[in-house]
Amino acid sequence: MGTKTWRRLTVWLHVVTSVGWMGQALALFTLLVISRTSEDGAIRVAATSMAHEIDTLLLAPLANASAFTGFMLAAGTAWGFTRHWWVLAKFAITLVQLYAGIFLLSGALRDSVGSEPPPVALVVGTALMASALAFQAWLSVAKPWGKVRSGVKLPTAPTWVFVAAVLAPLTDIAVGLLLGYPMPALSLVVLLGQLVRRRLGLVSGKDG
């Protein structure tokens, strides 16, 4: 398969994992609402515990894969990270979501297991996460606001970059499921490698 096919597979994986990420965020929101509103204490605890399991086993791996494939598409195509307002907006929102999800929401959700009810901020946070993902989907479709800056068109990465963009997150998801917690190590290595490769290529003036 050629570069075009693997690039399309990367886009497909990005769309699938992004939809999955939003779906799991909505599932967390639903479970946390149940945990706050149910009159049955056992249901409240069970709902929070299930939300924690979904966050660890499903949402986090999908979020990592979605962010990684999005970053790779920016780093491996002419879109770049800072050439178009809609891409820059998606990039900034994704960074905020990853920070909030990893360092704020996941920790708060873990601490809420076994207690009742979960804090309101946690419920609001999951709703905001799903809303932000829906807004990013609109950005991808509408591509509003034009260019941040013009310049030489960025080169498209070679085929192996997009092969790695597809295989790395799938490998990380499989490893994470075996370990019982998300481990996007290979994705980080691939992304850093592509960023360095593109930077060196731009400095040297070489294509692809």
Side-chain angles (χ1 to χ4, degrees), residues 82-95:
T82 60
R83 296 173 64 84
H84 302 264
W85 282 112
W86 71 274
V87 178
L88 181 59
K90 285 190 65 176
F91 177 57
I93 292 170
T94 300
L95 290 180

Side-chain angles (χ1 to χ4, degrees), residues 16-70:
V16 169
T17 53
S18 297
V19 171
W21 184 4
M22 186 171 70
Q24 298 311 314
L26 290 172
L28 258 63
F29 172 73
T30 303
L31 287 168
L32 292 174
V33 168
I34 291 172
S35 183
R36 285 195 60 86
T37 58
S38 176
E39 297 181 358
D40 189 322
I43 290 178
R44 289 197 294 268
V45 173
T48 306
S49 299
M50 182 57 67
H52 173 60
E53 293 298 321
I54 289 176
D55 179 59
T56 302
L57 297 177
L58 288 175
L59 188 148
L62 290 171
N64 291 335
S66 171
F68 166 74
T69 50

Side-chain angles (χ1 to χ4, degrees), residues 109-165:
L109 183 55
R110 182 177 59 251
D111 294 340
S112 297
V113 174
S115 63
E116 49 177 305
V120 174
L122 189 56
V123 180
V124 173
T126 56
L128 288 176
M129 179 182 291
S131 299
L133 287 162
F135 178 63
Q136 287 173 289
W138 176 81
L139 289 176
S140 296
V141 173
K143 298 179 174 60
W145 310 324
K147 286 188 175 183
V148 178
R149 58 189 175 87
S150 57
V152 178
K153 184 178 180 180
L154 297 173
T156 298
T159 303
W160 67 265
V161 171
F162 296 104
V163 174

